[in-house]
Amino acid sequence: NAGVTQTPKFQVLKTGQSMTLQCAQDMNHEYMSWYRQDPGMGLRLIHYSVGAGITDQGEVPNGYNVSRSTTEDFPLRLLSAAPSQTSVYFCASSLGGHIYEQYFGPGTRLTVT
Amino acid sequence: AQTVTQSQPEMSVQEAETVTLSCTYDTSENNYYLFWYKQPPSRQMILVIRQEAYKQQNATENRFSVNFQKAAKSFSLKISDSQLGDTAMYFCAFMKHGAGANSKLTFGKGITLSVRP
């Protein structure tokens, strides 16, 4: 049982490049989400999913796309990276329903130059 | 919308002493959950303690306890017998009660706690 895994751990992009941050969980969790963490800002919700095929926007969705084709995977896509997207990205999951504890991945540190 | 406020950016405590981290929140919900997460230098987010709003009794987990004041919308974390391993950033977070989209967490900005030897 690996929990929530994220790849890569570190990434450097040039402005305008695209990439996908991967997130996977093996706990059969219904709910998955992406947060970004910036200094002095805490964690802010980017996108979330309440089940396969269902996604919705969080607090800061601009510049990011998501999809949820399987229960296990919830990738985050940056279509055209900008320096403002330099951040640490966390994926989290929970069983859903009234089981509220969320499990976080180890994070991806992304730098856009 | 919910907001979570952690007004102290940094705190320091001597090893073995007690420290209290403050958190206030604003919501129109009556049923919700509150959490404290710890983020050590490893960056991993670790759940420290949680409180259900409908429970009057304050949650306790070993050296960690909360003072939950629902009317005042206050949720402070007390760490007793502080240890060097408690050095970390601590986040207060709010979640509505219920399923689906209510599983979203709203975080405060965090407080950096340093435990001095």
Side-chain angles (χ1 to χ4, degrees):
Chain A
N1 189 330
V4 180
T5 59
Q6 290 183 238
T7 56
K9 285 189 168 48
F10 301 92
Q11 183 70 47
V12 179
L13 288 178
K14 293 189 188 308
T15 296
Q17 287 185 318
S18 63
M19 81 158 296
T20 299
L21 306 185
Q22 301 291 345
C23 174
Q25 52 86 14
D26 59 359
M27 298 174 282
N28 202 31
H29 283 177
E30 288 294 320
Y31 181 86
M32 296 185 74
S33 55
W34 278 100
Y35 295 87
R36 60 177 289 174
Q37 181 181 11
D38 302 295
M41 299 293 291
L43 278 75
R44 293 180 293 169
L45 183 65
I46 305 171
H47 285 285
Y48 66 96
S49 169
V50 299
I54 306 169
T55 64
D56 205 346
Q57 296 181 351
E59 181 185 353
V60 288
N62 292 341
Y64 307 95
N65 279 354
V66 292
S67 60
R68 183 101 179 265
S69 56
T70 67
T71 299
E72 294 78 19
D73 300 298
F74 190 44
L76 179 72
R77 297 183 186 84
L78 284 71
L79 299 178
S80 178
S84 61
Q85 294 178 304
T86 293
S87 189
V88 178
Y89 291 85
F90 287 96
C91 180
S93 74
S94 69
L95 196 56
H98 295 279
I99 308 299
Y100 42 71
E101 180 162 353
Q102 295 209 15
Y103 296 80
F104 283 81
T108 295
R109 180 176 292 279
L110 175 67
T111 302
V112 183
T113 62
Chain B
Q2 287 65 231
T3 59
V4 177
T5 302
Q6 295 178 253
S7 56
Q8 309 153 299
E10 295 181 9
M11 287 191 76
S12 179
V13 64
Q14 194 74 33
E15 192 176 10
E17 294 192 344
T18 296
V19 64
T20 298
L21 311 183
S22 301
C23 173
T24 58
Y25 59 95
D26 191 25
T27 184
S28 58
E29 303 287 328
N30 190 47
N31 292 323
Y32 49 87
Y33 306 106
L34 295 164
F35 306 87
W36 279 97
Y37 280 89
K38 171 185 178 181
Q39 187 181 44
S42 67
R43 205 168 67 197
Q44 182 68 48
M45 293 290 288
I46 302 165
L47 179 63
V48 174
I49 198 165
R50 59 176 171 259
Q51 174 80 43
E52 292 89 341
Y54 64 87
K55 290 187 177 178
Q56 293 186 341
Q57 187 173 5
N58 289 325
T60 299
E61 289 286 345
N62 300 314
R63 297 183 296 108
F64 299 88
S65 61
V66 299
N67 183 3
F68 172 51
Q69 302 288 329
K70 190 173 183 179
K73 296 181 181 173
S74 170
F75 183 60
S76 60
L77 175 69
K78 186 171 82 170
I79 306 175
S80 304
D81 185 25
S82 296
Q83 300 175 359
L84 296 178
D86 295 333
T87 292
M89 180 164 280
Y90 288 81
F91 293 96
C92 179
F94 172 100
M95 180 190 292
K96 289 183 188 179
H97 181 270
N102 288 339
S103 298
K104 294 181 283 185
L105 282 167
T106 300
F107 285 89
K109 294 183 178 181
I111 177 171
T112 300
L113 175 67
S114 300
V115 180
R116 305 185 304 273

